[in-house]
Every structure is written in C-alpha cells, then in structure tokens.
C-alpha cells in the first residue's frame, strides 16, 4: 500500500520535473527581442499613448510562448503599482507583432524608467524619461 502511494507520488514529481526541465537547454529556442522604442533619450508624458516596438527579425522558427506582456520598471526594478505585474502596460498580445500601444500611467516623473517585454523570454529597454 505504501509502496503504491510512493510510486504515484514519485511519478507525479517525475512528470512535473520533466515538464519543467525536460527540454535540453541547447535545443530550446529562446527569443529575446531587442526593444527598439523607447530608447535612451525618449521622453514620455503621463497620459500619452506610445507604441513600444521591438525587433522580431531574429525569431526562431518555433517559439514556446508568443503571448507578450509589457510592464514598467524604475531604477531597474519593476514598479509595484500601475504599470507593474498586476497592472501591466499591456498584456495578451503576440510578441511576434513587433509593436504594442501603451498608455503612459500617472507615475511620478523620473529619468530611470524602462519597459520590460515578457514573452518567450524577457528583455528590457534602455532607461528613458517620464514627465508630467
Ligand atoms: C501605434 O501603431 C499603430 C499601428 O501602426 C497605429 O495605428 C497607432 O496610431 C500607433 N499609436 C501611436 C500612439 O502612435
Ligand atoms: C487574450 O486574447 C485572446 C485572443 O485575442 C482572447 O480570446 C482571450 O480572451 C484573451 N485573454 C484575456 C485574459 O484577455
């Protein structure tokens, strides 16, 4: 009886781990799309709309997660309020689109903002400025 339970648990974990770590790292296609806009020198004003754009030309034939999300970071750290993981600037779009429109949230002004694009992998823009 105990052996059977152990076997079930063992196989549950084995399945879990092979799902997470199954693909050998060297055969996994990782798509890290460089963010083209915003770039260093970009100034956004609160309330404006802008298209975040990224380069999709180096995409592998097969990508594992094409659903994208864009969040805001300040000082290299993802913000905790609006624009952060719970209230992303954009989500549920294809990272193969190469662009997505975002609304600049009402955050405090700063010169150390960046956008982070999540999808098959993640990438972060250079620091840019948000003003009121
Ligand atoms: C973003 O790009 C789309 C598609 O080209 C365009 O229709 C839209 O006006 C752009 N938005 C801004 C804020 O430039
Ligand atoms: C994501 O987008 C798809 C296709 O546009 C849509 O069917 C789905 O409901 C969306 N999911 C969420 C959570 O918005």
């Amino acid at each position: 009886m105990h052996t059977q339970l152990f076997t079930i648990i063992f196989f549950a974990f084995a399945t879990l781990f092979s799902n997470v770590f199954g693909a050998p790292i060297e055969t996994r296609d990782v798509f890290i799309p460089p963010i083209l806009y915003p770039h260093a020198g970009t100034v956004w004003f609160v309330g404006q709309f802008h298209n975040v754009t990224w380069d999709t030309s180096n995409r592998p034939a097969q990508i594992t997660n094409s659903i994208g999300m864009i969040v805001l970071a300040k000082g290299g750290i993802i913000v905790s309020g609006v624009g952060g993981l719970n209230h992303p600037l954009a989500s549920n779009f294809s990272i193969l689109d190469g662009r997505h429109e975002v609304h600049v949230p009402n955050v405090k002004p700063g010169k150390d903002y960046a956008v982070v694009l999540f999808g098959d992998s993640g990438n972060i823009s250079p620091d840019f400025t948000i003003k009121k």
Side-chain angles (χ1 to χ4, degrees):
M1 193 128 166
H2 279 112
T3 311
Q4 197 178 7
L5 183 62
F6 174 79
T7 307
I8 290 166
I9 291 170
F10 176 80
F11 278 105
F13 273 95
T15 307
L16 182 70
F17 275 88
S18 68
N19 283 345
V20 174
F21 301 111
I25 207 83
E26 57 277 2
T27 63
R28 197 181 269 174
D29 288 324
V30 176
F31 178 38
I32 305 177
I35 295 170
L36 304 174
Y37 181 86
H39 46 69
T42 295
V43 179
W44 284 0
F45 285 84
V46 166
Q48 286 180 332
F49 289 88
H50 290 285
N51 275 313
V52 173
T53 62
W54 58 94
D55 184 6
T56 61
S57 60
N58 66 341
R59 69 188 173 118
Q62 207 168 7
I63 59 172
T64 50
N65 176 19
S66 68
I67 304 299
M69 176 171 73
I70 299 170
V71 300
L72 192 64
K74 187 175 192 304
I77 298 164
I78 292 172
V79 300
S80 54
V82 62
L85 291 170
N86 292 328
H87 307 277
L89 296 179
S91 61
N92 199 29
F93 56 88
S94 169
I95 57 162
L96 303 180
D97 288 348
R99 73 164 71 223
H100 201 85
E101 195 178 77
V102 300
H103 182 224
V104 184
N106 190 8
V107 291
K108 67 175 184 183
K111 294 179 174 175
D112 56 350
Y113 282 100
V115 293
V116 184
L117 173 66
F118 289 105
D120 191 48
S121 185
N123 210 346
I124 188 161
S125 74
D127 280 2
F128 67 97
T129 298
I130 295 182
K131 291 183 178 177
K132 292 227 188 197

mmCIF file with all atom_site columns, all heavy atoms in Angstrom, residues 34-49:
data_model
loop_
_atom_site.group_PDB
_atom_site.id
_atom_site.type_symbol
_atom_site.label_atom_id
_atom_site.label_alt_id
_atom_site.label_comp_id
_atom_site.label_asym_id
_atom_site.label_entity_id
_atom_site.label_seq_id
_atom_site.pdbx_PDB_ins_code
_atom_site.Cartn_x
_atom_site.Cartn_y
_atom_site.Cartn_z
_atom_site.occupancy
_atom_site.B_iso_or_equiv
_atom_site.pdbx_formal_charge
_atom_site.auth_seq_id
_atom_site.auth_comp_id
_atom_site.auth_asym_id
_atom_site.auth_atom_id
_atom_site.pdbx_PDB_model_num
ATOM 1   N N   . PRO A 1 34 ? 15.031 42.450 -29.123 1.00 0.00 ? 34 PRO A N   1
ATOM 2   C CA  . PRO A 1 34 ? 15.545 43.754 -28.684 1.00 0.00 ? 34 PRO A CA  1
ATOM 3   C C   . PRO A 1 34 ? 14.459 44.829 -28.794 1.00 0.00 ? 34 PRO A C   1
ATOM 4   O O   . PRO A 1 34 ? 13.775 44.919 -29.811 1.00 0.00 ? 34 PRO A O   1
ATOM 5   C CB  . PRO A 1 34 ? 16.679 44.045 -29.675 1.00 0.00 ? 34 PRO A CB  1
ATOM 6   C CG  . PRO A 1 34 ? 16.972 42.758 -30.355 1.00 0.00 ? 34 PRO A CG  1
ATOM 7   C CD  . PRO A 1 34 ? 15.690 41.968 -30.333 1.00 0.00 ? 34 PRO A CD  1
ATOM 8   N N   . ILE A 1 35 ? 14.326 45.621 -27.751 1.00 0.00 ? 35 ILE A N   1
ATOM 9   C CA  . ILE A 1 35 ? 13.342 46.702 -27.747 1.00 0.00 ? 35 ILE A CA  1
ATOM 10  C C   . ILE A 1 35 ? 13.938 47.894 -28.499 1.00 0.00 ? 35 ILE A C   1
ATOM 11  O O   . ILE A 1 35 ? 15.050 48.338 -28.206 1.00 0.00 ? 35 ILE A O   1
ATOM 12  C CB  . ILE A 1 35 ? 12.949 47.074 -26.304 1.00 0.00 ? 35 ILE A CB  1
ATOM 13  C CG1 . ILE A 1 35 ? 12.225 45.896 -25.647 1.00 0.00 ? 35 ILE A CG1 1
ATOM 14  C CG2 . ILE A 1 35 ? 12.073 48.322 -26.289 1.00 0.00 ? 35 ILE A CG2 1
ATOM 15  C CD1 . ILE A 1 35 ? 12.001 46.041 -24.162 1.00 0.00 ? 35 ILE A CD1 1
ATOM 16  N N   . LEU A 1 36 ? 13.211 48.389 -29.491 1.00 0.00 ? 36 LEU A N   1
ATOM 17  C CA  . LEU A 1 36 ? 13.692 49.498 -30.322 1.00 0.00 ? 36 LEU A CA  1
ATOM 18  C C   . LEU A 1 36 ? 13.194 50.843 -29.793 1.00 0.00 ? 36 LEU A C   1
ATOM 19  O O   . LEU A 1 36 ? 13.855 51.871 -29.943 1.00 0.00 ? 36 LEU A O   1
ATOM 20  C CB  . LEU A 1 36 ? 13.223 49.304 -31.761 1.00 0.00 ? 36 LEU A CB  1
ATOM 21  C CG  . LEU A 1 36 ? 13.619 47.973 -32.413 1.00 0.00 ? 36 LEU A CG  1
ATOM 22  C CD1 . LEU A 1 36 ? 12.970 47.832 -33.778 1.00 0.00 ? 36 LEU A CD1 1
ATOM 23  C CD2 . LEU A 1 36 ? 15.132 47.880 -32.540 1.00 0.00 ? 36 LEU A CD2 1
ATOM 24  N N   . TYR A 1 37 ? 11.998 50.849 -29.218 1.00 0.00 ? 37 TYR A N   1
ATOM 25  C CA  . TYR A 1 37 ? 11.415 52.077 -28.672 1.00 0.00 ? 37 TYR A CA  1
ATOM 26  C C   . TYR A 1 37 ? 10.561 51.720 -27.475 1.00 0.00 ? 37 TYR A C   1
ATOM 27  O O   . TYR A 1 37 ? 9.797  50.760 -27.573 1.00 0.00 ? 37 TYR A O   1
ATOM 28  C CB  . TYR A 1 37 ? 10.559 52.775 -29.754 1.00 0.00 ? 37 TYR A CB  1
ATOM 29  C CG  . TYR A 1 37 ? 9.960  54.063 -29.268 1.00 0.00 ? 37 TYR A CG  1
ATOM 30  C CD1 . TYR A 1 37 ? 10.680 55.261 -29.355 1.00 0.00 ? 37 TYR A CD1 1
ATOM 31  C CD2 . TYR A 1 37 ? 8.689  54.088 -28.699 1.00 0.00 ? 37 TYR A CD2 1
ATOM 32  C CE1 . TYR A 1 37 ? 10.134 56.440 -28.878 1.00 0.00 ? 37 TYR A CE1 1
ATOM 33  C CE2 . TYR A 1 37 ? 8.146  55.264 -28.233 1.00 0.00 ? 37 TYR A CE2 1
ATOM 34  C CZ  . TYR A 1 37 ? 8.873  56.435 -28.319 1.00 0.00 ? 37 TYR A CZ  1
ATOM 35  O OH  . TYR A 1 37 ? 8.336  57.598 -27.843 1.00 0.00 ? 37 TYR A OH  1
ATOM 36  N N   . PRO A 1 38 ? 10.683 52.390 -26.362 1.00 0.00 ? 38 PRO A N   1
ATOM 37  C CA  . PRO A 1 38 ? 11.506 53.579 -26.103 1.00 0.00 ? 38 PRO A CA  1
ATOM 38  C C   . PRO A 1 38 ? 13.000 53.243 -26.010 1.00 0.00 ? 38 PRO A C   1
ATOM 39  O O   . PRO A 1 38 ? 13.369 52.116 -25.739 1.00 0.00 ? 38 PRO A O   1
ATOM 40  C CB  . PRO A 1 38 ? 10.987 54.059 -24.744 1.00 0.00 ? 38 PRO A CB  1
ATOM 41  C CG  . PRO A 1 38 ? 10.506 52.815 -24.072 1.00 0.00 ? 38 PRO A CG  1
ATOM 42  C CD  . PRO A 1 38 ? 9.935  51.964 -25.170 1.00 0.00 ? 38 PRO A CD  1
ATOM 43  N N   . HIS A 1 39 ? 13.807 54.281 -26.290 1.00 0.00 ? 39 HIS A N   1
ATOM 44  C CA  . HIS A 1 39 ? 15.258 54.120 -26.230 1.00 0.00 ? 39 HIS A CA  1
ATOM 45  C C   . HIS A 1 39 ? 15.832 55.234 -25.372 1.00 0.00 ? 39 HIS A C   1
ATOM 46  O O   . HIS A 1 39 ? 15.082 56.102 -24.896 1.00 0.00 ? 39 HIS A O   1
ATOM 47  C CB  . HIS A 1 39 ? 15.849 54.129 -27.645 1.00 0.00 ? 39 HIS A CB  1
ATOM 48  C CG  . HIS A 1 39 ? 15.313 55.218 -28.516 1.00 0.00 ? 39 HIS A CG  1
ATOM 49  N ND1 . HIS A 1 39 ? 15.591 56.542 -28.301 1.00 0.00 ? 39 HIS A ND1 1
ATOM 50  C CD2 . HIS A 1 39 ? 14.465 55.175 -29.585 1.00 0.00 ? 39 HIS A CD2 1
ATOM 51  C CE1 . HIS A 1 39 ? 14.959 57.268 -29.219 1.00 0.00 ? 39 HIS A CE1 1
ATOM 52  N NE2 . HIS A 1 39 ? 14.268 56.476 -30.007 1.00 0.00 ? 39 HIS A NE2 1
ATOM 53  N N   . ALA A 1 40 ? 17.139 55.220 -25.172 1.00 0.00 ? 40 ALA A N   1
ATOM 54  C CA  . ALA A 1 40 ? 17.779 56.286 -24.402 1.00 0.00 ? 40 ALA A CA  1
ATOM 55  C C   . ALA A 1 40 ? 17.453 57.616 -25.076 1.00 0.00 ? 40 ALA A C   1
ATOM 56  O O   . ALA A 1 40 ? 17.570 57.742 -26.291 1.00 0.00 ? 40 ALA A O   1
ATOM 57  C CB  . ALA A 1 40 ? 19.283 56.061 -24.339 1.00 0.00 ? 40 ALA A CB  1
ATOM 58  N N   . GLY A 1 41 ? 17.029 58.593 -24.305 1.00 0.00 ? 41 GLY A N   1
ATOM 59  C CA  . GLY A 1 41 ? 16.670 59.891 -24.870 1.00 0.00 ? 41 GLY A CA  1
ATOM 60  C C   . GLY A 1 41 ? 15.178 60.062 -25.084 1.00 0.00 ? 41 GLY A C   1
ATOM 61  O O   . GLY A 1 41 ? 14.707 61.176 -25.287 1.00 0.00 ? 41 GLY A O   1
ATOM 62  N N   . THR A 1 42 ? 14.427 58.979 -25.033 1.00 0.00 ? 42 THR A N   1
ATOM 63  C CA  . THR A 1 42 ? 12.974 59.067 -25.188 1.00 0.00 ? 42 THR A CA  1
ATOM 64  C C   . THR A 1 42 ? 12.371 59.785 -23.980 1.00 0.00 ? 42 THR A C   1
ATOM 65  O O   . THR A 1 42 ? 12.799 59.570 -22.842 1.00 0.00 ? 42 THR A O   1
ATOM 66  C CB  . THR A 1 42 ? 12.374 57.640 -25.298 1.00 0.00 ? 42 THR A CB  1
ATOM 67  O OG1 . THR A 1 42 ? 12.842 57.031 -26.487 1.00 0.00 ? 42 THR A OG1 1
ATOM 68  C CG2 . THR A 1 42 ? 10.853 57.683 -25.302 1.00 0.00 ? 42 THR A CG2 1
ATOM 69  N N   . VAL A 1 43 ? 11.398 60.657 -24.253 1.00 0.00 ? 43 VAL A N   1
ATOM 70  C CA  . VAL A 1 43 ? 10.648 61.311 -23.176 1.00 0.00 ? 43 VAL A CA  1
ATOM 71  C C   . VAL A 1 43 ? 9.170  61.044 -23.398 1.00 0.00 ? 43 VAL A C   1
ATOM 72  O O   . VAL A 1 43 ? 8.642  61.330 -24.476 1.00 0.00 ? 43 VAL A O   1
ATOM 73  C CB  . VAL A 1 43 ? 10.902 62.840 -23.146 1.00 0.00 ? 43 VAL A CB  1
ATOM 74  C CG1 . VAL A 1 43 ? 10.077 63.485 -22.033 1.00 0.00 ? 43 VAL A CG1 1
ATOM 75  C CG2 . VAL A 1 43 ? 12.388 63.139 -22.953 1.00 0.00 ? 43 VAL A CG2 1
ATOM 76  N N   . TRP A 1 44 ? 8.536  60.452 -22.425 1.00 0.00 ? 44 TRP A N   1
ATOM 77  C CA  . TRP A 1 44 ? 7.088  60.233 -22.461 1.00 0.00 ? 44 TRP A CA  1
ATOM 78  C C   . TRP A 1 44 ? 6.445  61.152 -21.437 1.00 0.00 ? 44 TRP A C   1
ATOM 79  O O   . TRP A 1 44 ? 7.019  61.442 -20.388 1.00 0.00 ? 44 TRP A O   1
ATOM 80  C CB  . TRP A 1 44 ? 6.740  58.785 -22.084 1.00 0.00 ? 44 TRP A CB  1
ATOM 81  C CG  . TRP A 1 44 ? 7.007  57.773 -23.152 1.00 0.00 ? 44 TRP A CG  1
ATOM 82  C CD1 . TRP A 1 44 ? 7.507  57.994 -24.400 1.00 0.00 ? 44 TRP A CD1 1
ATOM 83  C CD2 . TRP A 1 44 ? 6.785  56.353 -23.046 1.00 0.00 ? 44 TRP A CD2 1
ATOM 84  N NE1 . TRP A 1 44 ? 7.620  56.794 -25.076 1.00 0.00 ? 44 TRP A NE1 1
ATOM 85  C CE2 . TRP A 1 44 ? 7.187  55.779 -24.270 1.00 0.00 ? 44 TRP A CE2 1
ATOM 86  C CE3 . TRP A 1 44 ? 6.312  55.508 -22.037 1.00 0.00 ? 44 TRP A CE3 1
ATOM 87  C CZ2 . TRP A 1 44 ? 7.104  54.407 -24.517 1.00 0.00 ? 44 TRP A CZ2 1
ATOM 88  C CZ3 . TRP A 1 44 ? 6.222  54.147 -22.271 1.00 0.00 ? 44 TRP A CZ3 1
ATOM 89  C CH2 . TRP A 1 44 ? 6.609  53.605 -23.512 1.00 0.00 ? 44 TRP A CH2 1
ATOM 90  N N   . PHE A 1 45 ? 5.224  61.603 -21.748 1.00 0.00 ? 45 PHE A N   1
ATOM 91  C CA  . PHE A 1 45 ? 4.453  62.370 -20.787 1.00 0.00 ? 45 PHE A CA  1
ATOM 92  C C   . PHE A 1 45 ? 3.282  61.522 -20.299 1.00 0.00 ? 45 PHE A C   1
ATOM 93  O O   . PHE A 1 45 ? 2.684  60.777 -21.083 1.00 0.00 ? 45 PHE A O   1
ATOM 94  C CB  . PHE A 1 45 ? 3.943  63.670 -21.427 1.00 0.00 ? 45 PHE A CB  1
ATOM 95  C CG  . PHE A 1 45 ? 5.028  64.705 -21.582 1.00 0.00 ? 45 PHE A CG  1
ATOM 96  C CD1 . PHE A 1 45 ? 5.869  64.693 -22.678 1.00 0.00 ? 45 PHE A CD1 1
ATOM 97  C CD2 . PHE A 1 45 ? 5.206  65.688 -20.605 1.00 0.00 ? 45 PHE A CD2 1
ATOM 98  C CE1 . PHE A 1 45 ? 6.881  65.629 -22.821 1.00 0.00 ? 45 PHE A CE1 1
ATOM 99  C CE2 . PHE A 1 45 ? 6.215  66.628 -20.738 1.00 0.00 ? 45 PHE A CE2 1
ATOM 100 C CZ  . PHE A 1 45 ? 7.054  66.603 -21.836 1.00 0.00 ? 45 PHE A CZ  1
ATOM 101 N N   . VAL A 1 46 ? 3.001  61.655 -19.004 1.00 0.00 ? 46 VAL A N   1
ATOM 102 C CA  . VAL A 1 46 ? 1.869  60.949 -18.409 1.00 0.00 ? 46 VAL A CA  1
ATOM 103 C C   . VAL A 1 46 ? 0.613  61.208 -19.235 1.00 0.00 ? 46 VAL A C   1
ATOM 104 O O   . VAL A 1 46 ? 0.349  62.342 -19.617 1.00 0.00 ? 46 VAL A O   1
ATOM 105 C CB  . VAL A 1 46 ? 1.683  61.415 -16.941 1.00 0.00 ? 46 VAL A CB  1
ATOM 106 C CG1 . VAL A 1 46 ? 0.337  60.982 -16.386 1.00 0.00 ? 46 VAL A CG1 1
ATOM 107 C CG2 . VAL A 1 46 ? 2.820  60.884 -16.075 1.00 0.00 ? 46 VAL A CG2 1
ATOM 108 N N   . GLY A 1 47 ? -0.115 60.156 -19.544 1.00 0.00 ? 47 GLY A N   1
ATOM 109 C CA  . GLY A 1 47 ? -1.370 60.286 -20.283 1.00 0.00 ? 47 GLY A CA  1
ATOM 110 C C   . GLY A 1 47 ? -1.235 60.066 -21.781 1.00 0.00 ? 47 GLY A C   1
ATOM 111 O O   . GLY A 1 47 ? -2.239 59.858 -22.457 1.00 0.00 ? 47 GLY A O   1
ATOM 112 N N   . GLN A 1 48 ? -0.010 60.134 -22.285 1.00 0.00 ? 48 GLN A N   1
ATOM 113 C CA  . GLN A 1 48 ? 0.187  59.931 -23.727 1.00 0.00 ? 48 GLN A CA  1
ATOM 114 C C   . GLN A 1 48 ? 0.063  58.452 -24.092 1.00 0.00 ? 48 GLN A C   1
ATOM 115 O O   . GLN A 1 48 ? 0.177  57.572 -23.243 1.00 0.00 ? 48 GLN A O   1
ATOM 116 C CB  . GLN A 1 48 ? 1.582  60.408 -24.146 1.00 0.00 ? 48 GLN A CB  1
ATOM 117 C CG  . GLN A 1 48 ? 1.741  61.905 -24.206 1.00 0.00 ? 48 GLN A CG  1
ATOM 118 C CD  . GLN A 1 48 ? 3.159  62.288 -24.637 1.00 0.00 ? 48 GLN A CD  1
ATOM 119 O OE1 . GLN A 1 48 ? 4.125  61.566 -24.406 1.00 0.00 ? 48 GLN A OE1 1
ATOM 120 N NE2 . GLN A 1 48 ? 3.276  63.448 -25.264 1.00 0.00 ? 48 GLN A NE2 1
ATOM 121 N N   . PHE A 1 49 ? -0.142 58.218 -25.385 1.00 0.00 ? 49 PHE A N   1
ATOM 122 C CA  . PHE A 1 49 ? -0.088 56.855 -25.931 1.00 0.00 ? 49 PHE A CA  1
ATOM 123 C C   . PHE A 1 49 ? 1.169  56.728 -26.785 1.00 0.00 ? 49 PHE A C   1
ATOM 124 O O   . PHE A 1 49 ? 1.530  57.661 -27.509 1.00 0.00 ? 49 PHE A O   1
ATOM 125 C CB  . PHE A 1 49 ? -1.329 56.571 -26.799 1.00 0.00 ? 49 PHE A CB  1
ATOM 126 C CG  . PHE A 1 49 ? -2.588 56.429 -25.990 1.00 0.00 ? 49 PHE A CG  1
ATOM 127 C CD1 . PHE A 1 49 ? -3.360 57.543 -25.678 1.00 0.00 ? 49 PHE A CD1 1
ATOM 128 C CD2 . PHE A 1 49 ? -2.998 55.185 -25.538 1.00 0.00 ? 49 PHE A CD2 1
ATOM 129 C CE1 . PHE A 1 49 ? -4.519 57.425 -24.926 1.00 0.00 ? 49 PHE A CE1 1
ATOM 130 C CE2 . PHE A 1 49 ? -4.156 55.049 -24.777 1.00 0.00 ? 49 PHE A CE2 1
ATOM 131 C CZ  . PHE A 1 49 ? -4.922 56.170 -24.479 1.00 0.00 ? 49 PHE A CZ  1
#
